[in-house]
Amino acid sequence: MQNPIIAPSLLAADFSQLQKEFAMINESQAEWLHLDVMDGVFVPNISFFTPVLQAVQRYVKKKLDMHLMMVEPEKFIKRCFYLGASSVTIHYEACNHLHENLYYIRREGGRAGVAINPHTPVDVLEDVIQMVDLVCVMSVNPGFGGQAFIENTYHKVERLKEMILRKRSNALIQVDGGVQLQHVRKLVESGADVLVAGTSVFGEEDPLHAIRQMRDVAIKASLAMHNVR
Ligand code: DX5
Ligand code: ZN
C-alpha cells in the first residue's frame, strides 16, 4: 500500500515570488509538484513552459508532474523529460493517437499519464489502461485554477478504480481541480491516490500547514480503508 500523494499546483503560486514558493515546496511534505502547461488552443488560457520550468528544475527537489493541456502534446514530450519531468500527462480529448503517445512517454522513461475532462466517461480508457501509470480525473474544466470542485468526480473515481483492479493495471488515480481539505477523505475513500491542490495550498496563509493537513487526512483515510492501525 502506498500513501496518498499531495501535489501542489504551481499555477496558483505567486509568480512575483517564485524563489520563495520553491523554498516552501522543498520544505513541505508534498511529494510531487504539479505543473500545468496550457496552450491557448486546447484550453482558453496560456500558462508557462520552458523558461519557468527551467527555474523549477533548478530549484525544486520534488518529483515534477507535468500536465499538458495542449493539442499535439507529442511535440513536447521529449522537452518535458529534458526539463526533468517524472510524469507527463496528456489529454484523452487532445490525442488522435493516445496509445502511441503513451508508449512514447514510457519509452522516454517517465510515468505515462492520461487526463480526462469532466464530460469524458472513464470507460474510454478500457483499452489503454494497462499502458497508463497515472489517470488524471479532472474535477473542473481545465484552463483555470480556483474553480469549484465537481461532485460527480467521486463517482468517476470509484468506477475508474474498479476498472483498474479488474484490468490489473498499476495506474494511480489523480484528481485535479478545486480540491480542498473537505474533499480529501471522500476522494481517498473513492480510490484516489494523488490529490492536486492549487488554491487550497498557495492561497492559504500557511501553505506548509495546508499541505500537512491534507496529507494527514489522506493518510488516515487510506489506513482506515486498509484496516491498519
Ligand atoms: C486546471 C489545472 C489544475 C489547477 C488546480 O486547469 O489543471 O491543476 O491548477 O488548481 P486549483 O486547485 O486551484 O483548482
Ligand atoms: Zn493540472
Side-chain angles (χ1 to χ4, degrees), residues 72-193:
E72 300 187 277
E74 59 278 2
K75 286 185 181 166
F76 293 96
I77 291 169
K78 232 190 172 66
R79 173 96 59 97
C80 288
F81 288 109
Y82 183 68
L83 291 165
S86 85
S87 48
V88 174
T89 297
I90 55 181
H91 267 263
Y92 165 81
E93 301 84 1
C95 292
N96 287 329
H97 299 288
L98 180 65
H99 185 278
E100 183 169 310
N101 292 348
L102 291 168
Y103 174 77
Y104 180 32
I105 297 174
R106 275 194 173 171
R107 204 186 55 195
E108 289 293 310
R111 193 180 278 112
V114 58
I116 51 171
N117 280 339
H119 71 270
T120 303
V122 298
D123 314 355
V124 298
L125 301 178
E126 276 274 343
D127 292 301
V128 287
I129 197 71
Q130 276 143 343
M131 303 185 60
V132 173
D133 302 301
L134 175 79
V135 179
C136 174
V137 179
M138 292 305 301
S139 39
V140 298
N141 285 291
F144 301 90
Q147 303 180 74
F149 178 83
I150 297 171
E151 296 283 326
N152 183 50
T153 307
Y154 298 118
H155 182 52
K156 284 180 83 169
V157 171
E158 277 170 20
R159 279 189 297 148
L160 179 59
K161 184 73 189 178
E162 184 274 317
M163 178 197 297
I164 287 171
L165 291 173
R166 177 166 45 79
K167 291 276 196 171
R168 297 180 196 280
S169 158
N170 292 319
L172 297 175
I173 301 179
Q174 178 176 65
V175 177
D176 183 15
V179 175
Q180 295 177 11
L181 183 62
Q182 76 216 52
H183 307 119
V184 170
R185 186 173 59 83
K186 201 166 161 194
L187 281 174
V188 172
E189 285 171 357
S190 304
D193 305 291

Side-chain angles (χ1 to χ4, degrees), residues 9 11 34 36 38 67 69 138 142-146 176-178 196-199:
S9 171
L11 191 65
H34 184 83
D36 290 308
M38 302 178 182
H67 178 191
M69 283 160 275
M138 292 305 301
F144 301 90
D176 183 15
V196 176
T199 312

